[in-house]
Amino acid sequence: SHIYKKNHDMTKTWRGKTEQLLRVDDHDFTMRPAFGGPAIPVGVDVQVESLDSISEVDMDFTMTLYLRHYWRDERLSFPSTTNKSMTFDGRLVKKIWVPDVFFVHSKRSFIHDTTTDNIMLRVFPDGHVLYSMRITVTAMCNMDFSRFPLDSQTCSLELESYAYTDEDLMLYWKNGNESLKTDEKISLSQFLIQKFHTTSRLAFYSSTGWYNRLYINFTLRRHIFFFLLQTYFPATLMVMLSWVSFWIDRRAVPARVSLGITTVLTMSTIITGVNASMPRVSYIKAVDIYLWVSFVFVFLSVLEYAAVNYLTTVHERKERKQRERFPCTCGISHSKTMMLDGNYSEYDANSLAGYTRSQMVPEEEKPEKMVVHLAMSNESNSSRKRGLKGHVGLRIIQNTHAIDKYSRLIFPGTYIFFNLIYWSVFS
């Protein structure tokens, strides 16, 4: 029941050739429109499809965009009763004049060609032309890592005519800031896109002259949470772990030395891992300050124990020399309790205690280690208990060096103060 009407074929009207419809053969399109006259204005607008990657190591970014040019070429005007435009693909582009726009500081770029070249040419009856391409470009971005990873980066994609100076071709943003549009779904794993905007200025080359240059500027702010988990938090834990040695007995040399070496090696691994993923810049980054200060704290905790161990050795050497100089102790009136181990002979223990051999327990009932209580006859049981508690407390105090006591306060306090300054400056 449906009646299909056959559409009027314009190509048959003009002898079957689109080129003849646009009179391509009648003009020399190797020259720009209005050749020899004033500069031809070429408007530009851009729609960013995706921001594919940001590389800190290579200092570049990759962007896919739709690049559109607008200009008027009277040589392409054609008669039309409907005033409708005609659309062509990339095969016609090679036969007419198009602006020679290129990307300044680009490393790699290409026009998508799946399934055919992603090029569109739209011509209006009065000669106005819309030329659109889908391009992926990798361009250089000069990044400043002095505040990394608490940094913001501003990158620019620059467009410029390669052959035509500002006297022949005038590039401009067609609608100002409205000329740049972005897809709302654009997102990056490590960055937050804060702002896209456009600018334009003249660029001068000493050999060729002045050129109009257009800029697509975008500002990125780095997400800090990833680095908190991977860098800052482990480094802080290593520093806190090094403080545990201040509470370990100073005579436990293997425990304190192994703990110090482990934390130093772990900090070295963290620093190496961070620098491996960064360019080799000649200035200090914010993360370097934090990691190296943390490394210094860990290293100082190792030196702290070295100082404690050395001072303890010197003190014991002095006591040994004093005992050798005064081998005999005449009175033991103030002694409450003395611990004797198996190194003392039975005769020495009996002499100290004031007992004869007949008053001692049988040979088979003696323990391996002997405890001899030297107590005055007029002391009560309560005074003996107080003396024993005082002796145990004295041994605990003697096992803790004064440097360890001060380090328990100085190290955490200094590190907390450093963190307050660091995060207030860089955040």
Side-chain angles (χ1 to χ4, degrees):
S1 60
H2 295 281
I3 299 176
Y4 294 95
K5 293 183 179 180
K6 190 174 181 180
N7 294 330
H8 185 63
D9 192 352
M10 293 290 295
T11 60
K12 289 184 178 179
T13 305
W14 294 92
R15 291 175 291 178
K17 292 185 178 181
T18 305
E19 292 87 348
Q20 295 176 0
L21 173 64
L22 297 178
R23 295 180 295 174
V24 174
D25 296 334
D26 296 343
H27 302 279
D28 184 4
F29 282 95
T30 60
M31 294 181 289
R32 68 173 179 87
F35 184 79
I40 175 176
V42 177
V44 176
D45 69 26
V46 171
Q47 180 172 346
V48 179
E49 180 182 315
S50 64
L51 195 56
D52 301 324
S53 65
I54 307 288
S55 175
E56 292 89 355
V57 176
D58 299 327
M59 286 195 181
D60 59 24
F61 65 93
T62 302
M63 178 187 293
T64 300
L65 51 88
Y66 296 95
L67 177 61
R68 305 186 183 100
H69 306 81
Y70 301 86
W71 74 95
R72 184 182 181 186
D73 191 345
E74 296 181 352
R75 296 171 296 182
L76 296 177
S77 61
F78 60 91
S80 174
T81 57
T82 60
N83 201 28
K84 290 184 178 180
S85 62
M86 291 189 298
T87 303
F88 307 95
D89 59 17
R91 284 169 286 193
L92 184 62
V93 173
K94 299 178 181 179
K95 300 180 180 182
I96 65 172
W97 181 90
V98 294
D100 60 339
V101 174
F102 77 106
F103 297 101
V104 185
H105 305 309
S106 67
K107 297 181 178 180
R108 296 173 300 275
S109 60
F110 63 92
I111 298 175
H112 290 258
D113 56 1
T114 306
T115 57
T116 59
D117 291 341
N118 294 175
I119 296 176
M120 185 266 289
L121 191 69
R122 184 171 294 169
V123 182
F124 293 85
D126 58 354
H128 279 89
V129 181
L130 165 60
Y131 176 43
S132 177
M133 298 174 289
R134 182 168 176 256
I135 302 174
T136 293
V137 56
T138 300
M140 183 179 65
C141 178
N142 293 322
M143 301 182 185
D144 181 13
F145 296 107
S146 58
R147 299 177 64 89
F148 176 88
L150 305 168
D151 58 334
S152 296
Q153 302 294 342
T154 299
C155 299
S156 299
L157 184 63
E158 305 171 15
L159 297 86
E160 183 182 302
S161 172
Y162 190 83
Y164 298 102
T165 64
D166 62 337
E167 296 179 353
D168 292 318
L169 190 146
M170 185 181 66
L171 277 179
Y172 68 98
W173 289 111
K174 188 172 184 297
N175 299 309
N177 268 335
E178 298 297 325
S179 302
L180 179 62
K181 300 184 182 299
T182 59
D183 193 335
E184 296 179 356
K185 298 180 181 180
I186 293 179
S187 63
L188 294 170
S189 58
Q190 291 191 26
F191 292 92
L192 172 66
I193 302 176
Q194 289 187 316
K195 182 174 63 174
F196 270 99
H197 65 282
T198 61
T199 55
S200 61
R201 62 174 65 99
L202 289 174
F204 177 74
Y205 296 90
S206 59
S207 301
T208 54
W210 294 88
Y211 294 81
N212 294 111
R213 183 176 295 182
L214 306 181
Y215 296 82
I216 301 172
N217 305 308
F218 55 95
T219 304
L220 306 171
R221 183 170 183 81
R222 197 182 305 274
H223 293 300
I224 187 60
F225 189 71
F226 170 81
F227 295 94
L228 288 176
L229 292 180
Q230 298 296 324
T231 303
Y232 287 96
F233 190 60
T236 304
L237 286 182
M238 287 301 104
V239 175
M240 296 174 65
L241 184 61
S242 68
W243 300 338
V244 175
S245 64
F246 304 150
W247 276 266
I248 299 178
D249 189 352
R250 59 177 174 168
R251 304 184 194 280
V253 177
R256 295 190 67 163
V257 171
S258 61
L259 181 61
I261 293 176
T262 301
T263 52
V264 168
L265 292 179
T266 304
M267 282 301 305
S268 301
T269 303
I270 294 175
I271 293 173
T272 303
V274 171
N275 291 330
S277 60
M278 295 295 299
R280 298 178 181 179
V281 295
S282 58
Y283 50 85
I284 298 176
K285 304 182 290 293
V287 68
D288 293 335
I289 296 175
Y290 193 91
L291 291 179
W292 280 105
V293 170
S294 300
F295 183 84
V296 169
F297 270 89
V298 172
F299 187 73
L300 287 178
S301 68
V302 179
L303 294 182
E304 185 269 350
Y305 177 63
V308 169
N309 189 273
Y310 174 75
L311 294 177
T312 301
T313 304
V314 171
H315 180 69
E316 290 178 350
R317 188 181 298 117
K318 290 181 179 179
E319 288 184 347
R320 191 180 303 112
K321 289 182 179 179
Q322 290 179 358
R323 285 197 301 267
E324 292 174 355
R325 185 178 303 176
F326 305 103
C328 177
T329 303
C330 299
I332 327 177
S333 58
H334 297 288
S335 298
K336 296 290 191 301
T337 304
M338 180 178 291
M339 304 293 294
L340 298 179
D341 57 15
N343 296 329
Y344 286 87
S345 66
E346 180 184 356
Y347 177 78
D348 295 336
N350 293 342
S351 300
L352 289 172
Y355 294 110
T356 63
R357 179 177 178 81
S358 60
Q359 293 174 307
M360 300 300 292
V361 296
E363 184 73 22
E364 62 274 4
E365 296 181 5
K366 290 190 299 180
E368 293 182 359
K369 292 188 177 181
M370 193 177 302
V371 180
V372 179
H373 295 276
L374 305 179
M376 303 302 294
S377 59
N378 60 348
E379 287 181 337
S380 62
N381 293 333
S382 60
S383 64
R384 294 179 185 178
K385 293 180 181 179
R386 289 195 301 269
L388 181 61
K389 292 179 180 179
H391 176 73
V392 174
L394 180 62
R395 289 176 61 87
I396 295 175
I397 292 174
Q398 287 177 346
N399 288 337
T400 302
H401 199 277
I403 297 179
D404 282 339
K405 295 179 185 178
Y406 292 124
S407 297
R408 295 172 186 175
L409 299 176
I410 294 175
F411 274 72
T414 307
Y415 194 68
I416 291 173
F417 180 71
F418 161 72
N419 274 270
L420 292 176
I421 295 177
Y422 179 87
W423 293 108
S424 62
V425 170
F426 290 103
S427 62

